[in-house]
């Protein structure tokens, strides 16, 4: 399933109940570890749903460098070789600089993404700013981002703003069927108002 706009992590989890809801190419955009962890867990669960646990490592690839000809050639060979030990394969690409690559390099990558073998999935993790980028939204004009937004799925994993914390907290409590006293909610919100970077993992672990 392909979406035409970036979605929140909540909508992503709602729409990906099974593998049919998952695109073959996905972008996780943002630096909120709690959202990245949840999205990553759901993707792995779906891709490897039919894979014996002992064989998952054979189909899981972490790509840390993809911004030059040599690394792209190696990546192409891995992708097009098909699964030797595992049919389902998941490539997690964490090289954020690929979004600033030149036109020729980007086009070569896009051509490859259109040739993905069956049961092969690519997840791009854009969780840090490169060079002169001031914010993650600056990447939306880049060719690779536009292609992923058009042909795949983009999941918003940006750190929440203060006014977004309470709706997030309400949703978390509802999912877990947990009820907090008003004083406890106020304590959490006070913590969030006094820190520049809200740690959702820390709050989640305390619920």
């Amino acid at each position: 399933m392909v979406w035409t706009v970036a979605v929140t992590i909540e909508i992503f989890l709602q729409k990906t109940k099974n593998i049919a809801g998952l695109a073959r190419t996905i972008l996780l955009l943002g630096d909120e570890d709690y959202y990245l962890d949840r999205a990553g867990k759901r993707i792995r669960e779906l891709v490897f749903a039919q894979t014996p646990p002992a064989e998952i490592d054979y189909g899981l690839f972490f790509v840390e460098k993809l911004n030059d000809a040599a690394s792209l050639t190696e990546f192409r060979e891995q992708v097009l070789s098909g699964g030797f030990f595992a049919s389902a394969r998941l490539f997690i690409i964490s090289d954020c600089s690929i979004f600033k690559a030149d036109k020729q390099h980007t086009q070569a990558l896009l051509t490859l993404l259109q040739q993905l073998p069956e049961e092969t999935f690519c997840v791009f993790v854009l969780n840090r700013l490169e060079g002169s980028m001031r914010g993650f939204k600056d990447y939306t004009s880049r060719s690779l981002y536009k292609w992923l937004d058009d042909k795949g799925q983009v999941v918003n994993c940006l750190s929440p703003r203060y006014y977004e914390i309470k709706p997030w907290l309400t949703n978390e409590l509802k999912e877990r069927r947990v009820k907090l006293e008003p004083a406890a909610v106020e304590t959490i919100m006070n913590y969030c108002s006094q820190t520049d970077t809200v740690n959702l993992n820390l709050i989640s672990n305390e619920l």
Side-chain angles (χ1 to χ4, degrees):
M1 179 184 293
V2 174
W3 305 327
T4 56
V5 294
V7 300
T8 64
I9 184 64
E10 291 82 11
I11 293 177
F12 174 74
L13 296 175
Q14 291 172 9
K15 291 190 173 184
T16 54
K17 299 295 186 182
N18 53 58
I19 194 69
L22 199 65
R24 304 277 294 288
T25 52
I26 301 168
L27 170 61
L28 304 182
L29 175 69
D31 57 358
E32 176 50 61
D33 288 337
Y34 180 77
Y35 294 154
L36 292 169
D37 291 345
R38 292 196 71 184
K41 180 181 178 182
R42 172 60 58 85
I43 293 168
R44 290 192 300 273
E45 289 174 346
L46 294 178
V47 172
F48 298 117
Q50 305 301 320
T51 303
E55 297 179 11
I56 289 177
D57 286 346
Y58 293 121
L60 184 58
F61 301 85
F62 295 94
V63 182
E64 297 180 355
K65 182 177 176 61
L66 193 57
N67 62 357
D68 59 25
S71 58
L72 182 57
T73 296
E74 181 181 357
F75 180 59
R76 180 185 294 107
E77 292 174 351
Q78 287 181 319
V79 168
L80 298 182
S81 64
F84 187 73
F85 293 103
S87 57
R89 296 187 305 155
L90 174 61
F91 291 84
I92 300 178
I93 301 110
S94 58
D95 185 356
C96 298
S97 66
I98 189 63
F99 285 84
K100 296 184 65 181
D102 61 47
K103 184 177 180 180
Q104 183 177 358
H105 190 81
T106 300
Q107 187 55 53
L109 175 58
L110 295 181
T111 298
L112 176 60
L113 294 178
Q114 296 175 64
Q115 301 172 349
L116 293 182
E118 198 171 339
E119 294 191 80
T120 297
F121 296 78
C122 288
V123 176
F124 291 83
V125 181
L126 182 50
N127 62 348
R128 66 179 183 275
L129 302 176
E130 295 282 332
S132 61
M133 294 297 188
R134 297 182 178 180
F136 288 104
K137 290 185 177 180
D138 290 348
Y139 286 97
T140 58
S141 62
R142 300 287 170 161
S143 298
L144 178 55
Y145 178 95
K146 289 182 177 180
W147 190 91
L148 291 168
D149 191 30
D150 182 47
K151 304 297 184 181
Q153 296 168 343
V154 177
V155 184
N156 185 339
C157 296
L158 297 171
S159 296
R161 299 177 181 179
Y162 177 74
Y163 67 83
E164 296 173 316
I165 298 296
K166 197 162 187 179
W168 169 82
L169 180 59
T170 300
N171 186 65
E172 285 293 306
L173 295 174
K174 182 179 179 181
E175 282 188 6
R176 303 183 191 199
R177 298 181 181 178
V178 172
K179 186 175 182 179
L180 289 183
E181 294 297 326
V185 174
E186 183 177 354
T187 297
I188 292 174
M189 296 306 296
N190 284 338
Y191 155 73
C192 294
S193 68
Q194 297 174 24
T195 181
D196 293 331
T197 304
V198 177
N199 189 329
L200 293 188
N201 272 323
L202 175 63
I203 298 174
S204 176
N205 291 336
E206 294 296 324
L207 295 180

